[in-house]
Amino acid sequence: MPDHRRSTPMPAPAPASMPGSGSGSVQTVSAVTAAGRPPSPGRLARLAGLCGPAFVVAVAYVDPGNFATNMSGGARYGTMLLWVIAVANVLAMFVQALSAKLGIATGRNLPELCRDHLPRPVSLLLWAQAEMVAVATDLAEFIGGAVALNLLFGVPLLPAAAITALVSSLLLLMAPRGRRRFEVTVAVMLAVVLAGFAYQVMLSGSLAGVAGGFVPRLAGPDSLLLATGIVGATVMPHVVYLHSALTQHQGRALAQHHGAVTRHHAAVTQHHGPVTQHHGARTERPRALARNRGAWDPRRAALQASRVDIAVALGTAGLVNMAMLTVAAATFDGSDLAGLEAVHAGLGEILGPGAAVAFALALLASGLASSSVGTYAGQVIMAGFLHRRVPLLARRLVTVLPAMAILAVGMDPTRALVLSQVALSFGIPFALVPLVVFTARRALMGDLVNRRATTAAGVAVAAVISALNGFLLMEVFIG
């Protein structure tokens, strides 16, 4: 006779709170994937939290110097140099990916590794040129911000530079202890630059016929020189140093979070041991979880997050640079622009006041964000090479003086921007060569060491960019 008695189902285990989450939220224990990752929702949130450093880096690729170069290129040659911007952006992504990987793999930044592994005199020389690069960077950004305030509100250039210094200093106050807020603020400013040029693209209808601009070609020596300037000024040495510093603690932070997750799962497994034994089919699952979790590498997870971060942030910067060139091509085709002021005036006359305001707002956001990033990079450079720190605001005061002096003597702002780019060109090899050398050392990088093909590509990229910058320097000083 069949037994019609119903068995009482075991109650489902209560969800356990996640230790170390800092939010007091409650999460249920979910399965680990075959790749050995922690629970999917928490993992995605944690990896998303690692994104942000590339947005800080990306503003260097849309700084006021890029405004002048891209608008000039579009005005003189139309969309012909779009392919140059695309190539330059890919090179920038490659270099920044190496810098981010160096920080994640070693837990050290590039200036610190130079100090630890190079002779003292060489390290000091590298520090001196890196400081020069940081000052030149601030020079360009201050002047760009000052020009933007002058265009928007008619503020004279000297007081406008002081206002730029004050506002960017307020941004810097977030960097040491509120770095996440700093990253978000810089990302918002990058979005302002993108929105400004998206509006100009809409007004100018500049997307028509852009496909032809991605076909590699040049139109004589002058276009070659401008293309060289675009590629040569793409990799910004100060953010090569900075990116490794922004990522150097990510592997450790993710490992600590993963350790908390592992301890949590162990406690839950122990607490629900009788339940697991009651349901014999589940006995193997906790063992599989432990085995899979042990195979998970926090450094590789951080590296994957950094690649997504770089692709999105520098991809956005690339779109902004392309938008600059296409707007200039559609609006000033065949013209020889005299400077940023001429660009602003021309946009107002041809596309209307809204386009001029959008250009000036984008220039202001670029100047404020990139000047803050430049000073932050200078702090990383000094702390890494010399193991010494000065207050960020004191450094800000020192770096603003050259820009104030140049504006006080009445030097043309656009000419000052060009000279600052020359100084940046000088510093390129001194950042790229150590970066490629260190990322190729297994003793430093462990299993994240470069593959041979990656090292070969790094050598080629460093050689090409250094040669292009050398060509630019010769053209400027010898002509």
Side-chain angles (χ1 to χ4, degrees):
M1 185 174 181
D3 187 0
H4 296 288
R5 291 175 299 175
R6 297 181 180 178
S7 59
T8 303
M10 294 295 295
S17 59
M18 179 72 70
S21 64
S23 63
S25 61
V26 177
Q27 300 182 0
T28 59
V29 181
S30 59
V32 178
T33 65
R37 299 179 178 91
S40 182
R43 171 182 176 269
L44 291 177
R46 187 62 180 176
L47 293 181
L50 298 179
C51 295
F55 285 89
V56 174
V57 168
V59 298
Y61 295 95
V62 292
D63 72 344
N66 289 73
F67 278 62
T69 303
N70 294 326
M71 299 299 286
S72 175
R76 294 176 64 184
Y77 299 106
T79 60
M80 185 179 63
L81 298 180
L82 273 176
W83 70 273
V84 179
I85 294 178
V87 170
N89 205 58
V90 171
L91 296 180
M93 287 182 177
F94 177 78
V95 171
Q96 296 303 151
L98 287 183
S99 178
K101 183 170 76 167
L102 181 70
I104 291 169
T106 65
R108 311 278 284 171
N109 59 58
L110 182 56
E112 290 173 339
L113 291 171
C114 289
R115 185 193 70 217
D116 294 342
H117 296 276
L118 298 178
R120 182 66 173 170
V122 174
S123 179
L124 290 177
L125 286 175
L126 289 177
W127 165 74
Q129 64 81 31
E131 288 286 3
M132 181 194 72
V133 164
V135 171
T137 301
D138 273 341
L139 173 65
E141 326 311 13
F142 278 128
I143 291 177
V147 170
L149 287 173
N150 176 261
L151 296 176
L152 284 169
F153 308 110
V155 181
L157 289 177
L158 198 59
I163 294 172
T164 302
L166 177 61
V167 176
S168 58
S169 297
L170 295 177
L171 292 178
L172 276 172
L173 292 177
M174 294 188 289
R177 296 185 179 180
R179 200 174 80 187
R180 189 62 180 171
R181 286 181 296 167
F182 179 69
E183 292 172 353
V184 171
T185 302
V186 170
V188 169
M189 290 192 170
L190 179 61
V192 170
V193 179
L194 177 63
F197 278 97
Y199 178 69
Q200 294 171 65
V201 166
M202 181 182 67
L203 290 179
S204 64
S206 60
L207 295 181
V210 297
F214 293 100
V215 178
R217 69 190 192 279
L218 294 170
D222 289 341
S223 65
L224 173 61
L225 180 61
L226 189 54
T228 301
I230 292 174
V231 177
T234 292
V235 177
M236 310 296 283
H238 66 293
V239 292
V240 175
Y241 296 116
L242 178 61
H243 205 165
S244 60
L246 294 175
T247 61
Q248 70 182 97
H249 301 300
Q250 287 189 346
R252 189 193 324 169
L254 203 56
Q256 291 173 348
H257 174 77
H258 177 54
V261 172
T262 303
R263 290 191 297 271
H264 166 72
H265 280 292
V268 171
T269 301
Q270 182 179 6
H271 176 72
H272 295 292
V275 176
T276 303
Q277 293 173 2
H278 178 82
H279 299 281
R282 300 184 185 179
T283 304
E284 181 60 23
R285 181 169 170 267
R287 299 174 185 172
L289 290 177
R291 286 196 301 269
N292 287 333
R293 282 196 302 273
W296 187 68
D297 187 350
R299 296 189 310 160
R300 288 196 177 276
L303 184 60
Q304 291 173 359
S306 76
R307 288 171 178 167
V308 174
D309 193 27
I310 290 169
V312 174
L314 268 68
T316 302
L319 290 176
V320 171
N321 283 315
M322 292 178 188
M324 291 180 190
L325 190 139
T326 59
V327 167
T331 310
F332 307 108
D333 189 20
S335 303
D336 192 3
L337 297 176
L340 295 175
E341 296 89 344
V343 173
H344 178 265
L347 289 172
E349 293 175 3
I350 299 172
L351 300 181
V357 170
F359 175 81
L361 285 174
L363 180 61
L364 179 60
S366 168
L368 291 175
S370 53
S371 64
S372 302
V373 171
T375 301
Y376 193 13
Q379 185 80 337
V380 168
I381 287 168
M382 174 172 281
F385 279 111
L386 301 185
H387 211 278
R388 294 181 181 177
R389 292 182 180 272
V390 297
L392 276 173
L393 294 183
R395 171 174 285 277
R396 163 58 80 218
L397 179 62
V398 171
T399 55
V400 74
L401 292 179
M404 300 288 284
I406 286 175
L407 294 175
V409 299
M411 185 176 181
D412 177 44
T414 303
R415 176 64 177 169
L417 285 176
V418 172
L419 293 178
S420 71
Q421 298 305 304
V422 172
L424 290 175
S425 299
F426 175 78
I428 291 287
F430 301 103
L432 292 187
V433 172
L435 176 66
V436 174
V437 170
F438 289 144
T439 53
R441 289 186 182 179
R442 183 171 294 275
L444 285 175
M445 302 291 291
D447 59 352
L448 296 184
V449 66
N450 287 346
R451 297 177 180 178
R452 290 184 180 179
T454 304
T455 299
V459 170
V461 168
V464 168
I465 294 178
S466 299
L468 291 175
N469 280 282
F471 176 69
L472 280 177
L473 292 174
M474 290 178 60
E475 286 294 320
V476 170
F477 292 110
I478 299 177

